[in-house]
Amino acid sequence: MNKKNTLVIVISAILMAMILSACSAGNTVQAASNDPVVHTETKDYGETAPRAVEMRDEHAGDGSGLLMGLSGDLTQEEIADLLYMREEEKLARDVYAYLYSHWQLPVFNSIAQSEQNHMDSILELLTAHGIDDPAVQTATGQFTNSTLQDLYDTLIAQGSISLEEALQVGALIEEVDIQDLDEALTRTDKADLERVYSNLMFGSENHLRSFTSQLSRQLGIAYQPVQLDQEHYYQIITAQPGQRGRAGN
């Protein structure tokens, strides 16, 4: 079994064990696909008022200016990673769009739009390399990958329980995204894939900081990482805006 699929199954089992009651998915909010987005991350600076820090634009919504030229034919493993990443980013977007409609917390709407940008980034790679898009005909909350479909359903139920659980779901999704991107980077030497994956990693680290900050500021809860080791997680959380969360990157 593919390692990342095993990881998703493990996470799904963890979340299922935490669910206290089943909740219906309800109506979802569709993130816009063509608007450029600059994600803002709010950090608390001691006794001063919280300050919004503008992060770099992760990707123009129209897909322009992303690639630096193709790097040649992809391996089957590289293709599989792209297909999986396309739907994994869609899962993040769809979950956050639902959580925004359910809780009306702006961070979910903001990051849902960033995840649309992440989807667009992967789609540009798929298109440039002549690979069919697995998400082209799937509606919000629907996935061709059955494991991701099961995970989406689990995350929606979990995030519906309380605002705390919703923010925990967001942080967990970003942990998994970071881990999967890290692994995908070890399986490619193509410059275009490396650039996109690195940009997506930058965004996911920002998102993880945002969700954990919301847990701390709004609910007084210190997030404990589920997938990342403590050292890697600490490097991400303590990185200054604009820096990567692992030393040497």
Side-chain angles (χ1 to χ4, degrees):
M1 180 181 293
N2 188 289
K3 183 176 180 181
K4 55 178 170 282
N5 286 347
T6 303
L7 177 63
V8 170
I9 292 172
V10 170
I11 292 170
S12 182
I14 292 171
L15 289 170
M16 284 297 290
M18 296 169 61
I19 293 178
L20 303 178
S21 62
C23 301
S24 62
N27 296 324
T28 57
V29 176
Q30 181 69 42
S33 62
N34 292 319
D35 295 334
V37 173
V38 177
H39 177 61
T40 59
E41 178 182 341
T42 300
K43 295 182 75 70
D44 194 358
Y45 292 88
E47 310 242 340
T48 64
R51 183 179 68 183
V53 180
E54 186 175 282
M55 312 308 292
R56 77 183 183 189
D57 191 345
E58 294 168 14
H59 180 57
D62 62 2
S64 62
L66 176 66
L67 300 178
M68 298 176 63
L70 300 185
S71 303
D73 293 338
L74 303 184
T75 66
Q76 289 303 307
E77 194 169 45
E78 288 169 332
I79 293 172
D81 281 339
L82 280 176
L83 293 171
Y84 188 85
M85 288 295 178
R86 169 71 168 161
E87 286 206 292
E88 186 175 54
E89 299 295 348
K90 181 180 186 296
L91 179 145
R93 183 202 67 181
D94 292 357
V95 169
Y96 298 154
Y98 168 79
L99 292 177
Y100 176 66
S101 73
H102 194 80
W103 298 108
Q104 295 298 301
L105 189 65
V107 68
F108 290 120
N109 187 47
S110 173
I111 298 182
Q113 293 180 67
S114 288
E115 297 297 348
Q116 177 65 62
N117 292 343
H118 290 196
M119 287 182 65
D120 292 343
S121 298
I122 298 295
L123 178 58
E124 186 170 352
L125 284 173
L126 291 173
T127 301
H129 286 279
I131 303 168
D132 291 339
D133 176 19
V136 67
Q137 292 183 331
T138 55
T140 301
Q142 295 182 352
F143 305 87
T144 61
N145 184 301
S146 60
T147 303
L148 288 176
Q149 182 67 65
D150 291 342
L151 182 58
Y152 171 83
D153 295 338
T154 302
L155 292 169
I156 288 299
Q158 181 67 22
S160 299
I161 294 172
S162 67
L163 181 57
E164 175 186 346
E165 295 295 343
L167 290 167
Q168 294 271 4
V169 162
L172 178 58
I173 288 174
E174 298 306 329
E175 278 196 78
V176 175
D177 277 356
I178 290 167
Q179 195 164 56
D180 286 349
L181 287 164
D182 247 341
E183 293 177 359
L185 280 165
T186 70
R187 292 190 287 265
T188 186
D189 59 358
K190 305 299 192 301
D192 51 346
L193 272 64
E194 288 176 340
R195 183 180 183 219
V196 170
Y197 290 161
S198 294
N199 286 342
L200 267 56
M201 180 88 72
F202 183 96
S204 291
E205 290 175 353
N206 292 342
H207 300 166
L208 179 58
R209 284 190 288 269
S210 291
F211 285 129
T212 57
S213 175
Q214 289 287 323
L215 276 166
S216 176
R217 290 177 57 247
Q218 295 217 31
L219 303 173
I221 295 170
Y223 181 73
Q224 296 300 316
V226 177
Q227 291 299 317
L228 300 175
D229 63 68
Q230 284 285 346
E231 181 182 0
H232 188 186
Y233 173 74
Y234 180 77
Q235 289 171 339
I236 292 171
I237 295 303
T238 59
Q240 295 299 310
Q243 292 181 340
R244 289 293 308 279
R246 190 184 278 278
N249 284 7

